[in-house]
């Protein structure tokens, strides 16, 4: 772990247990994060972007020690306190308190995040009292200082959350995180429910406070323009996997990972010359309960290679659909031997020939061999490579296109 | 202000599909009267995408709901003004209707679903239709019915004539149409009307021709219009209409048995009308770019992802090929990649089907992607409206330029974002004069006292004293 890192996560995986019914029998698991390795440098703002369900909030919870079931290691290097947390050696209550004192979080929803029955001064002071760091009076003094730092007045201390606007509530939430003088603040979508003019106020406030208090930020958002505005480095998550991580400016000027490219090109820019282009869009239903094999992004990747993780089931479905649309076949008789081998039986040899053409034309790059045996077609797929994080220029990318080892092996195969 | 026949004719000629004049909508709440829309003027041209931007609470949704006649019964009311759509002023019709207050729950859901079916049901003689896509797709899809039932219900409800026509003998129908086209060349409009009445009764098409014959246009123009009207109708005798209508399902639930077949859902459906409708819904889902339309048809709404639900919504909304499609923040809840596809879809619906779209959003990037013209709303009024390119390059109103400066930009990185001081005013206690004056950087004395009026600046319109000649000269 480098000296200037405040947090180092090594191979952190998180899964949630899903109980399908009240009977405990059929539990399934949802992989919210799979093998995340990440370091957060002191004094930086790291943006975490990704679609809904990609595991952004889970990452925040993992860092704050709020999860019960997880794997991997997290190292904390705060100024006067170093801690290590692993799955078997979960943090003790006292250690957790240390972490909560030195790091805190601002949530997305300014409406539900604050207890509506409490006065603002109590809301701000709550973590202070909670950490038993002093008496009530000192806590209130501190709340008074903070409320002014976030641009409100002392009068607001005796308001209830219901009497404040969304932007004002978010200011209160920010003030609250500062009460214990933290080193790290995690923002989980702090502005996504606010209007642009209020969003600008909150972003300015957040960036000012960072300078004043020497803070490190993890900034979770799905708004790429906001991520670009606030961050030094950016991490792109997809279905619980890191796709790319690097300096914000270079990721935006030259995204490497196909998903990052898709993401960045999807943001409409508020410019008069902005134009939408038709693009090769592939759509697929993906779920984190049964994540795609190989590269998790492969069902949607516009440049997926034949080694990216295709299995028989997926390819049969594609052929089924294609044969319905193009040949009018209402059902396809397919027999799956294993993940990489399957046979399609056609009604007659003539139809088998047509199907073979179709397969060759549409799915050529995914099928290693397809062979006509009478009215049956035997197909075999390529063995898949699991992508891993590889360095490329100034960043890390999780895609086999940038993996030299894969490239060499691939050339040999040809 | 009352609407004269002259106004209506004028709108027709200027190719305005919808024009709203001096619309006022109030909410009567426990905390007082809230003026959600205060004298709104808006004209929508045929075939354009008009974007409406504005911050939360500025009255964007209320305007849309007023057009759709979906204001919450009891509390929201159109106080004055007019909504002229296809030769009719809708506002008096809406506000005259007696409405029961306080119905909620499933009833609300039903009302919302009615919206998708179009206002047309309520104004039966009207040809053109308006439909709406809501921000939250779940509120307009019924969780209890599969997608196929909902789509078919919507198709049959709106496109009775289309469906009826489809299930009749095509050649017969074509024969009737060509017979009529021949007559069109020889006979006068008056004679044509008699002929239609004798052969096909005084149904929808008769009324349409009657309407056209009464317009103050030349005979040849009338014939062109009649010809166009013919293209979207079917010549049916009253007996045929009755017979076929009897076959239409009145409640979807009764009509559809659970269909567990994974592929080709039309297998086993005997009724020709429903078969056609099922095929049409498949086509619709293909059209909106659904990855697996056959599977989607037999799914329940909760089984679909956000983007897929939103696409079903779009399919429902375009099923009856509406004249106007109102999309209220249709992509706010979606991820950017999905948002891009839904936006692209709406844009191609506009370009290919020539549907007029009113697009509501507070995302300026989304606006740049879709809108031809942009209207900016603030505190229940349109403060600036004009072509999209001017909006971004040369905003007129101080509020517009403030908005533009406060969004983080992609290409240039500023240390500090501009922010408009203060916040959106409470519409129950509006500031005097210009509602924006407490937050405006360029505020003048007059702004605090009197309301600015609309000023035309080339092809744009702005509501701000800075552009009023009198004031400009006076201040010099
Ligand atoms: N307590 C929980 N039990 C079961 N599944 C959960 C739980 N919390 C989150 N998940 C699932 O874990 C995955 C990751 O969730 P997470 O909240 O981290 O996503 P996110 O990136 O923060 O999404 P969003 O942008 O919607 O906030 C999702 O598929 C979510 O449904
Ligand atoms: N049912 C209602 N009862 C009382 N007031 C209402 C009701 N619906 C809307 N309003 C008020 O009307 C005003 C305009 O609301 P509207 O929903 O049109 O805003 P909007 O521009 O769509 O905002 P958003 O971007 O948040 O959707 C708001 O001040 C709101 O408080
Ligand atoms: S490994 Fe790279 S090329 Fe292959 S599917 Fe994943 S992102 Fe696409
Ligand atoms: S009228 Fe006056 S206060 Fe209102 S926007 Fe114009 S300059 Fe500003
Ligand atoms: Mg989250
Ligand atoms: Mg709204």
């Amino acid at each position: 772990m480098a000296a200037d890192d405040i947090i180092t996560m090594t191979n952190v995986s998180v899964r949630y247990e899903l109980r399908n019914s009240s009977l405990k029998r059929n539990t399934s698991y949802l992989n919210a994060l799979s093998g995340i390795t990440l370091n957060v440098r002191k004094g930086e703002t790291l943006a975490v972007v990704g679609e809904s369900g990609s595991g952004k909030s889970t990452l925040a919870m993992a860092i704050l020690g709020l999860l019960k079931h997880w794997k991997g290691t997290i190292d904390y290097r705060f100024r006067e306190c170093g801690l290590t947390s692993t799955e078997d050696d979960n943090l003790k209550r006292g250690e957790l308190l240390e972490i909560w004192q030195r790091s805190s979080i601002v949530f997305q929803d300014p409406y539900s995040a604050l207890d509506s029955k409490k006065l603002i001064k109590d809301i701000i002071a709550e973590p202070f009292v909670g950490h038993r760091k002093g008496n009530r009076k000192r806590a209130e003094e501190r709340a008074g200082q903070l409320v002014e730092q976030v641009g409100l007045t002392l009068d607001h201390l005796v308001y209830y959350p219901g009497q404040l606007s969304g932007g004002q509530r978010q200011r209160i939430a920010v003030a609250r995180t500062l009460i214990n003088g933290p080193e790290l603040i995690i923002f989980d979508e702090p502005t996504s429910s606010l209007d642009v003019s209020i969003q600008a106020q909150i972003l300015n406030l957040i960036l000012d406070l960072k300078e004043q208090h020497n803070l490190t930020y993890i900034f979770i958002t799905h708004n790429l323009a906001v991520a670009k505005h606030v961050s030094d480095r950016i991490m792109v998550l997809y279905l619980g996997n890191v796709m790319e991580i690097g300096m914000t400016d270079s990721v935006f000027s030259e995204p490497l990972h196909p998903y990052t490219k898709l993401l960045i090109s999807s943001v409409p820019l508020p410019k008069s010359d902005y134009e939408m282009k038709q693009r090769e869009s592939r759509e697929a239903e993906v779920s984190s309960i049964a994540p795609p094999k190989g590269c998790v992004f492969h069902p949607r990747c516009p440049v997926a290679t034949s080694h990216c993780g295709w299995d028989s089931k997926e390819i049969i479905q594609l052929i089924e659909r294609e044969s319905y649309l193009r040949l009018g076949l209402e059902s396809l008789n397919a027999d799956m031997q294993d993940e990489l081998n399957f046979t399609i039986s056609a009604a007659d040899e003539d139809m088998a020939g047509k199907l073979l053409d179709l397969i060759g034309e549409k799915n050529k790059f995914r099928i290693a061999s397809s062979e006509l045996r009478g009215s049956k077609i035997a197909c075999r797929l390529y063995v898949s490579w699991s992508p891993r994080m590889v360095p490329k220029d100034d960043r890390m990318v999780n895609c086999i296109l940038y993996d030299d080892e894969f490239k060499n092996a691939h050339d040999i195969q040809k | 202000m009352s609407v004269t026949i002259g106004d209506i004719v004028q709108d027709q000629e200027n190719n305005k599909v919808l024009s709203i004049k001096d619309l006022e909508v109030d909410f009567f709440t426990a905390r007082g009267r809230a003026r959600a829309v205060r004298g709104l003027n808006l004209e929508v041209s045929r075939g354009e995408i008009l974007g409406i931007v504005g911050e939360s609470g500025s009255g964007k949704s209320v305007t849309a709901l007023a057009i759709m006649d979906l204001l919450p019964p009891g509390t929201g009311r159109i106080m004055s003004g007019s909504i002229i759509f296809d030769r009719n002023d809708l506002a008096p019709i809406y506000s005259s209707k007696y409405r029961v207050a306080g119905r909620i729950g499933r009833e609300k859901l039903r009302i919302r679903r009615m919206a998708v079916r179009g206002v047309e049901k309520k104004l039966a003689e009207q040809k053109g239709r308006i439909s709406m896509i809501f921000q939250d797709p779940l509120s307009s899809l019924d969780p209890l019915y599969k997608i196929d039932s909902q789509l078919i219900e919507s198709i049959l409800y709106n496109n009775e004539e289309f469906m009826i026509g489809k299930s009749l003998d095509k050649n017969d129908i074509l024969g009737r149409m060509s017979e009529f086209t021949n007559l069109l060349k020889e006979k006068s409009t008056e004679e044509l009307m008699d002929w239609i009445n004798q052969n096909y009764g005084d149904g929808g098409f008769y009324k349409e021709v009657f309407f056209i014959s009464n317009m103050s246009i030349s005979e040849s123009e009338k014939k062109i219009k009649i010809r166009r009207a013919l293209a979207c109708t079917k010549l049916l005798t009253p007996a045929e209409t009755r017979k076929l209508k009897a076959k239409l399902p009145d409640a979807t639930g009764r009509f559809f048995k659970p269909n567990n077949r994974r592929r080709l859902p039309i297998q086993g459906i005997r009724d020709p009308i429903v078969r056609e409708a099922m095929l049409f819904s498949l086509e619709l889902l293909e059209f909106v770019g659904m990855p697996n339309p056959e599977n989607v048809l037999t799914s329940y709404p909760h089984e679909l992802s956000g983007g897929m639900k939103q696409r079903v919504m779009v399919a429902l909304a375009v099923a009856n090929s509406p004249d106007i499609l109102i999309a209220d923040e249709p992509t706010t809840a979606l991820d950017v990649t999905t948002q891009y596809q839904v936006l692209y879809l709406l844009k191609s619906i506009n370009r290919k089907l020539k549907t007029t779209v009113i697009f509501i959003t507070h995302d300026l990037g989304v606006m740049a992607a879709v809108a031809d013209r942009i209207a900016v709303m603030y505190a229940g009024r349109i403060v600036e409206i004009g072509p999209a390119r001017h909006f971004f390059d040369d905003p007129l109103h101080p509020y517009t330029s403030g908005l533009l400066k406060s969004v983080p930009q992609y290409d240039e990185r500023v240390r500090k974002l501009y922010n408009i001081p203060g916040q959106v005013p409470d519409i129950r206690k509006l500031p005097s004069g210009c509602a924006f004056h407490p937050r405006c950087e360029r505020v003048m004395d007059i702004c605090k006292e009197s309301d600015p009026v609309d000023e035309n600046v080339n092809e744009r319109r702005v509501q701000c004293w800075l552009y009023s000649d009198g004031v400009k000269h006076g201040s010099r």
Side-chain angles (χ1 to χ4, degrees):
Chain A
M1 150 171 217
D4 58 350
D5 286 349
I6 187 165
I7 300 246
T8 310
M9 301 175 89
T10 317
N11 224 350
V12 171
S13 300
V14 178
R15 64 179 194 182
Y16 292 109
E17 203 171 283
L18 303 173
R19 292 213 184 83
N20 293 341
S21 64
S22 51
L23 303 172
K24 275 197 177 174
R25 264 177 294 139
N26 35 357
T27 40
S28 50
Y29 294 94
L30 183 151
N31 295 302
L33 290 179
S34 4
I36 305 280
T37 298
L38 165 75
N39 61 328
V40 184
R41 299 173 192 155
K42 277 193 180 129
E44 75 169 347
T45 300
L46 173 75
V48 180
V49 299
E51 308 187 344
S52 182
S54 56
K56 306 183 295 295
S57 301
T58 305
L59 184 80
M61 309 242 281
I63 292 176
L64 292 175
L66 296 172
L67 295 172
K68 282 219 182 74
H69 305 291
W70 61 288
K71 282 197 225 157
T73 314
I74 306 178
D75 283 303
Y76 301 86
R77 290 285 169 272
F78 296 114
R79 251 168 245 138
E80 292 148 29
C81 145
L83 285 167
T84 299
S85 170
T86 63
E87 71 255 46
D88 337 294
D89 184 18
N90 250 313
L91 294 170
K92 318 261 167 341
R93 176 96 192 136
E95 290 171 325
L96 268 180
L97 285 180
E98 292 274 0
I99 289 180
W100 293 346
Q101 208 172 310
R102 291 175 165 85
S103 50
S104 47
I105 183 162
V106 175
F107 292 103
Q108 166 174 3
D109 185 1
Y111 292 91
S112 60
L114 308 180
D115 186 342
S116 60
K117 292 192 197 72
K118 285 193 174 145
L119 286 176
I120 296 301
K121 62 177 183 185
D122 295 327
I123 290 175
I124 298 183
E126 190 188 81
F128 193 64
V129 179
H131 287 146
R132 289 191 215 97
K133 227 188 152 184
N135 58 26
R136 215 184 141 77
K137 193 150 181 295
R138 268 186 54 205
E140 283 190 8
E141 259 173 46
R142 192 92 181 94
Q145 291 163 3
L146 288 172
V147 91
E148 288 186 326
Q149 274 189 29
V150 296
L152 299 174
T153 62
L154 289 176
D155 296 342
H156 287 107
L157 284 176
V158 290
Y159 276 44
Y160 286 99
Q163 294 165 297
L164 301 180
S165 70
Q168 286 172 329
R169 283 181 217 219
Q170 212 55 312
R171 285 171 193 269
I172 297 297
V174 172
R176 181 183 145 102
T177 61
L178 292 171
I179 189 113
N180 290 311
E183 291 171 48
L184 171 75
I185 301 184
I186 302 176
F187 294 94
D188 192 353
E189 315 248 12
T191 61
S192 48
S193 58
L194 303 176
D195 273 320
V196 279
S197 72
I198 312 295
Q199 165 173 288
Q201 295 171 7
I202 299 292
L203 291 180
N204 285 342
L205 171 72
I206 290 176
L207 291 180
D208 286 347
L209 289 173
K210 186 182 166 200
E211 276 175 14
Q212 287 164 21
H213 296 261
N214 241 333
L215 297 164
T216 304
Y217 283 170
I218 297 178
F219 197 104
I220 296 171
T221 178
H222 63 253
N223 185 329
L224 288 163
V226 169
K228 169 137 199 228
H229 178 72
V230 299
S231 69
D232 306 308
R233 278 201 310 151
I234 188 166
M235 170 164 108
V236 183
L237 276 181
Y238 181 76
L239 276 190
N241 288 261
V242 180
M243 297 285 109
E244 181 164 356
I245 181 165
M247 298 309 287
T248 304
D249 286 334
S250 65
V251 169
F252 275 89
S253 57
E254 195 207 346
L256 293 177
H257 195 282
Y259 178 64
T260 320
K261 288 181 183 165
L262 180 74
L263 206 58
I264 289 179
S265 68
S266 300
V267 181
L269 305 179
K271 299 264 170 215
S272 59
D273 53 2
Y274 179 77
E275 258 192 66
M276 300 192 90
K277 291 181 196 76
Q278 170 131 47
R279 69 174 180 214
E280 159 95 28
S281 76
R282 247 198 244 181
E283 287 197 60
E285 298 147 65
V286 282
S287 91
S288 17
I289 300 173
K293 298 192 186 62
C295 172
V296 282
F297 184 54
H298 83 256
R300 290 175 61 194
C301 179
V303 292
T305 72
S306 42
H307 299 274
C308 288
W310 302 97
D311 68 19
S312 304
K313 206 171 148 209
E314 278 173 292
I315 301 294
I316 290 173
Q317 269 180 8
L318 289 172
I319 297 175
E320 221 172 16
R321 181 156 170 66
E322 224 29 61
S323 61
Y324 166 55
L325 288 179
R326 315 247 310 257
L327 303 176
L329 282 185
E330 290 190 2
S331 67
L332 189 76
N333 196 348
D335 188 21
M336 207 169 104
Q337 278 98 47
D338 56 37
E339 283 192 355
L340 298 179
N341 292 285
F342 60 93
T343 322
I344 293 172
S345 319
D348 51 45
E349 290 190 13
D350 182 39
M351 187 48 87
K354 278 188 195 159
L355 273 170
L356 190 69
D357 288 346
L358 184 112
I359 293 168
E361 186 189 325
K362 266 276 168 187
N363 298 308
K364 198 161 73 196
F365 67 104
R366 288 174 208 151
I367 293 183
S369 70
S370 51
E371 203 180 305
L372 197 60
R373 295 184 190 139
S375 64
K376 289 189 181 192
I377 306 167
C379 302
R380 189 166 55 79
L381 303 179
Y382 288 103
V383 180
S384 72
W385 275 66
S386 284
R388 49 188 185 141
M389 287 302 256
V390 288
K392 164 80 184 163
D393 302 339
D394 55 343
R395 60 192 109 144
M396 301 292 285
V397 191
N398 189 2
C399 167
I400 58 177
L401 295 180
Y402 300 95
D403 191 337
D404 288 333
E405 210 175 289
F406 166 74
K407 274 196 201 149
N408 295 339
H410 196 60
D411 287 338
I412 292 163
Q413 250 178 31
K414 270 186 181 169
Chain B
M1 188 182 103
S2 71
V3 181
T4 63
I5 296 297
D7 286 344
I8 293 176
V9 170
Q10 185 95 37
D11 279 344
Q12 288 286 106
E13 266 149 34
N14 293 349
N15 208 17
K16 295 281 179 272
V17 61
L18 178 77
S19 54
I20 300 177
K21 298 206 167 89
D22 298 317
L23 183 70
E24 303 256 351
V25 180
D26 284 359
F27 282 98
F28 295 89
T29 65
R31 290 206 284 143
R33 178 174 149 193
R35 303 183 61 200
V37 176
R38 311 179 293 136
L40 179 126
N41 287 300
L42 182 64
E43 276 159 1
V44 189
S45 314
R46 203 171 290 281
E48 76 171 342
I49 303 186
L50 174 80
I52 302 182
V53 279
E55 291 184 276
S56 194
S58 54
K60 307 183 295 293
S61 301
V62 170
T63 306
L65 295 179
I67 299 171
M68 299 294 298
D69 191 23
L70 287 173
L71 288 170
T75 51
R77 204 180 299 160
I78 296 180
M79 304 303 287
S80 62
S82 54
I83 302 171
I84 303 168
F85 170 62
D86 201 15
R87 304 187 283 255
N88 286 308
D89 185 1
L90 306 181
I93 306 177
Y94 290 168
S95 48
S96 68
K97 231 174 25 201
Y98 175 70
R99 319 204 56 173
V100 191
R103 279 189 281 168
I104 37 150
R106 289 194 60 76
E107 181 61 6
K108 195 166 154 201
L109 232 166
R110 201 185 62 81
I111 292 176
R112 284 218 158 174
R113 292 216 292 141
M114 290 279 292
V116 180
R117 292 174 196 147
V119 186
E120 170 231 33
K121 278 285 130 185
K122 293 167 191 154
L123 299 159
E125 71 273 22
Q126 225 164 266
K127 261 253 110 57
R129 278 145 297 191
I130 312 176
S131 47
M132 180 155 172
I133 306 171
F134 296 93
Q135 172 170 356
D136 169 16
L138 263 193
S139 63
S140 7
L141 291 173
D142 191 329
L144 297 180
Y145 290 106
K146 289 188 178 169
I147 301 300
D148 55 0
S149 331
Q150 307 202 30
L151 268 170
I152 289 176
E153 188 188 8
S154 172
I155 290 169
L156 295 183
Y157 221 94
N158 290 304
N159 291 25
E160 272 169 24
E161 279 183 87
F162 162 81
M163 281 302 156
I164 290 168
K166 265 204 163 181
S167 63
L168 285 176
D169 181 6
K170 271 214 177 82
N171 290 331
D172 185 19
I173 294 289
L174 285 178
R176 292 180 194 182
M177 287 170 86
S178 66
E179 185 190 359
F180 182 80
T181 327
N182 288 335
L183 286 178
L184 193 58
K185 284 181 200 138
E186 312 158 356
K187 298 201 175 199
S188 75
T189 355
E190 309 288 302
E191 288 168 318
L192 277 175
M193 282 180 41
D194 288 342
W195 184 84
I196 298 170
N197 201 352
Q198 271 165 27
N199 289 284
Y200 299 109
D202 56 357
F205 187 55
Y206 175 79
K207 288 200 184 113
E208 183 80 26
V209 177
F210 170 72
F211 227 119
I212 295 170
S213 69
N214 280 332
M215 290 168 113
S216 54
I217 48 178
S218 74
E219 188 74 9
S220 59
E221 279 175 315
K222 280 182 193 169
K223 288 202 170 170
I224 295 174
K225 280 191 189 290
I226 294 174
R227 227 197 149 102
R228 259 196 228 133
L230 180 68
C232 34
T233 189
K234 297 284 176 307
L235 290 165
L236 295 179
T237 64
E240 279 168 332
T241 315
R242 254 195 320 275
K243 198 173 115 217
L244 286 160
K245 270 199 175 154
K247 277 182 148 188
L248 288 174
D250 49 352
T252 332
R254 251 188 284 157
F255 221 77
F256 294 98
K257 299 189 184 63
N259 182 352
N260 293 324
R261 221 180 291 272
R262 206 175 72 75
R263 314 213 59 208
L264 272 200
I266 58 161
Q267 279 173 356
I269 298 178
R270 292 233 185 73
D271 187 295
I273 297 178
V274 180
R275 220 183 135 91
E276 288 286 352
M278 190 64 111
L279 276 175
F280 186 47
S281 29
L282 254 180
E283 280 168 22
L284 276 173
L285 291 183
E286 292 267 353
F287 174 73
V288 298
M290 199 67 94
N292 262 324
E294 305 86 4
N295 294 356
V296 170
L297 272 184
T298 53
S299 314
Y300 288 99
H302 70 88
E303 293 169 338
L304 307 178
S305 71
M308 289 161 91
K309 272 182 268 193
Q310 204 55 277
R311 259 170 243 222
V312 172
M313 279 298 302
V314 177
L316 280 168
V318 298
N320 55 340
S321 33
D323 283 2
I324 303 180
L325 185 61
I326 303 178
D328 188 359
E329 314 223 5
T331 59
T332 309
L334 303 177
D335 286 314
V336 277
T337 47
T338 325
Q339 162 171 298
Y340 193 95
Q341 281 151 349
V342 174
L343 291 181
Y344 195 86
L345 171 67
L346 282 171
K347 190 136 187 172
S348 52
I349 285 173
N350 165 262
R351 300 290 188 252
K352 282 185 204 145
L353 304 182
K354 309 268 177 281
T355 310
T356 310
V357 179
I358 299 178
F359 198 103
I360 297 174
T361 178
H362 59 252
D363 184 326
L364 301 179
V366 168
M367 207 84 282
V370 296
D372 302 316
R373 270 190 329 136
I374 297 179
V376 185
M377 275 194 88
Y378 189 80
R381 286 205 179 154
I382 288 180
V383 295
E384 171 167 359
I385 181 167
R389 55 178 193 285
H390 293 320
F391 173 85
F392 292 100
D393 295 343
D394 174 28
L396 293 176
H397 198 279
Y399 177 63
T400 316
S401 44
L403 271 187
L404 281 166
K405 277 188 281 177
S406 54
V407 284
Q409 291 289 334
Y410 242 37
D411 34 12
E412 66 220 75
R413 216 162 153 176
V414 285
R415 194 59 212 91
K416 225 169 164 66
L417 291 171
Y418 173 82
N419 66 62
I420 306 173
Q423 55 204 29
V424 180
D426 182 349
I427 50 170
R428 290 178 197 86
K429 303 185 282 253
L430 283 171
S432 61
C434 169
F436 187 57
H437 90 249
R439 307 175 73 189
C440 182
E441 279 187 339
R442 305 178 66 182
V443 58
M444 302 168 287
D445 286 341
I446 186 175
C447 308
K448 296 174 189 159
E449 287 144 28
S450 35
D451 246 353
V453 287
D454 280 334
E455 293 293 339
N456 289 318
V457 179
N458 302 328
E459 40 189 336
R460 316 156 72 182
R461 205 180 72 211
V462 60
Q463 209 173 66
C464 166
W465 283 123
L466 287 172
Y467 300 91
S468 167
D469 278 343
V471 174
K472 260 193 285 186
H473 295 150
S475 64
R476 250 180 226 156

